[in-house]
Every structure is written in C-alpha cells, then in structure tokens.
Amino acid sequence: MPTPQPETDAKTFLENVVVPVLWEMRMGSPAAEKLLLMTACHESMGFRYRTQVGGGPALSYFQMEPATLEDLYHNYLDYRPDLRSRLDAYLPSDMHRFDALKNDDRYACAAARLQYARMPEALPNVADDMALAAYAKRYWNTNAGKATPGQYLDDFAAYGPQPYPANWA
C-alpha cells in the first residue's frame, strides 16, 4: 500500500489551526505552538494519517486515543468547567467527540493542548527543541511508547515549517 500524500503542511496547520486555537483558548505561547506542531508532525507522519497506522485506536493528526480523550474529560475537565467549556466550544454540534477528534482539526488541537496542560512540568523553552522533544516523548508518547525524542526531532525537521516563525527564536 503506497504512503498517502500529506493532507496539509506544517506552516498551514500552524497558521490555520494551532495558533488561532491556542490563542482563542487563552492557552497560547510560542512554546505551546511549537510543542503541538512537533507532536502533530511526528504522530501523523507529516500530516498523512488521521488514524493510527496498523489499526490502533489513535485519532487525529495528534494521534490521541479515545480512551485518553475520555480520561481528559472525566478526570480533569469535569473538575475544571472553565477549561471544559473551552474545549467544548470547538466540538461541532452534529458530531460525537470521537468523530470530532478524528475529523475536526481545531477540536483535536484544543484537546491536545488540554492534555498537555494536565502535566505537572512547565513547557520547556521554545528555543530548546531537544527539551520540547523530550517533553513530547515523556508526556504524549509516554515511557511505554515506541517513539524517542530523536524521532520527534527528526520528524519535526522533516515536516516542520522552514524557517521557524520569528517568535520561536
């Protein structure tokens, strides 16, 4: 089976999805922008896959599992109604949240930002790509995942925007 062509590119995804969603949510920062884009570049294999390769449950360019989304709602957002309303503002009224996770990039981005917001460690400095990659490995892919920080870096170098936005310096 041939590798599908990317549906978008990192610059377009950053400008049309990541930046507006994060700032609308009042959770934006250059480090958050870069971390989310790095995650999407790696997890989607350069914006090629919205479903996990090999038949796994992960959905969206961020490859969030439905169980993770449910845990986000029930063990984090249920106790933070303001944050829940920020995520639900992106949920299309005609979609179940799993369908939105797979098919609505803005909803998936908001969910990914909130998943990272749960983590106890602050986001690394925007200029430290290795620290961002290690953060993604630790908190997105987890210790049980197959990815390495180096793979996050390699995929970001291959699929990320060139040049970086000026506010990432």
Side-chain angles (χ1 to χ4, degrees):
M1 182 167 145
T3 302
Q5 291 297 308
E7 293 181 13
T8 190
D9 62 78
K11 183 177 187 293
T12 301
F13 193 73
L14 176 67
E15 292 173 353
N16 295 337
V17 178
V18 175
V19 170
V21 167
L22 295 184
W23 292 96
E24 289 164 7
M25 292 178 73
R26 300 180 314 278
M27 297 181 79
S29 70
E33 292 170 10
K34 195 174 194 181
L35 177 65
L36 286 170
L37 192 64
M38 180 183 285
T39 302
C41 284
H42 169 74
E43 296 292 339
S44 69
M45 296 181 198
F47 302 97
R48 287 178 170 83
Y49 299 99
R50 290 178 182 274
T51 57
Q52 188 171 348
V53 174
L59 302 170
S60 84
Y61 289 140
F62 298 99
Q63 296 292 295
M64 180 182 274
E65 294 183 4
T68 301
L69 182 63
E70 287 301 294
D71 185 72
L72 175 66
Y73 270 93
H74 298 302
N75 292 308
Y76 187 70
L77 299 177
D78 281 353
Y79 304 99
R80 293 161 182 85
D82 175 60
L83 293 178
R84 183 182 178 133
S85 69
R86 292 185 209 183
L87 177 56
D88 287 344
Y90 293 98
L91 181 60
S93 61
D94 62 340
M95 280 191 193
H96 184 276
R97 56 183 170 225
F98 296 162
D99 294 325
L101 182 63
K102 179 180 177 184
N103 298 303
D104 190 290
D105 294 335
R106 291 171 55 84
Y107 178 80
C109 182
R113 180 63 184 101
L114 287 167
Q115 181 64 16
Y116 274 126
R118 299 175 74 173
M119 302 308 140
E121 184 181 347
L123 297 181
N125 185 290
V126 67
D128 191 341
D129 287 358
M130 179 49 87
L132 287 164
Y135 192 95
K137 166 58 184 166
R138 184 170 40 260
Y139 293 121
W140 195 265
N141 188 257
T142 75
N143 288 332
K146 294 179 185 176
T148 66
Q151 289 170 319
Y152 276 90
L153 280 177
D154 290 347
D155 288 341
F156 195 55
Y159 307 122
Q162 297 299 326
Y164 285 168
N167 67 336
W168 288 3

